[in-house]
Amino acid sequence: CGATIAREIERVGLPAVLITAIPPVALTVGANRIIQGIAIPHPVGDPTKNPIDELAIRKRLLEKALKALTTSISEQTLFN
């Protein structure tokens, strides 16, 4: 599970962000930095959108992830 991998990466001292369509699972498993994804089969995009909109979705999620990586946290955080 991605949440377990993110938790273990954080445990050794490297910040990690998990983009997931199911944040409650990530919170239960113990991931620290979590971003709400789009959908279970496509957490970082929407193939039903046209290419320009798809790129905008992906870019927005990447920017959120980079901001989450640089944010100091003291407990599990769901970034919106």
Side-chain angles (χ1 to χ4, degrees):
C1 160
T4 302
I5 293 168
R7 183 189 68 210
E8 291 303 307
I9 291 171
E10 290 262 356
R11 189 175 62 81
V12 298
L14 297 171
V17 175
L18 178 67
I19 300 173
T20 180
I22 314 171
V25 172
L27 289 165
T28 300
V29 172
N32 289 319
R33 292 175 174 86
I34 305 162
I35 295 177
Q36 172 72 52
I38 304 301
I40 290 172
H42 308 284
V44 292
D46 185 347
T48 65
K49 302 288 185 191
N50 68 57
I52 293 172
D53 292 339
E54 170 76 4
L55 180 62
I57 291 168
R58 290 173 182 257
K59 184 177 178 181
R60 188 183 78 241
L61 286 170
L62 176 63
E63 288 170 346
K64 279 185 187 181
L66 291 172
K67 183 173 180 174
L69 278 174
T70 60
T71 301
S72 179
I73 61 171
S74 59
E75 60 185 22
Q76 287 180 298
T77 305
L78 178 59
F79 291 86
N80 293 321

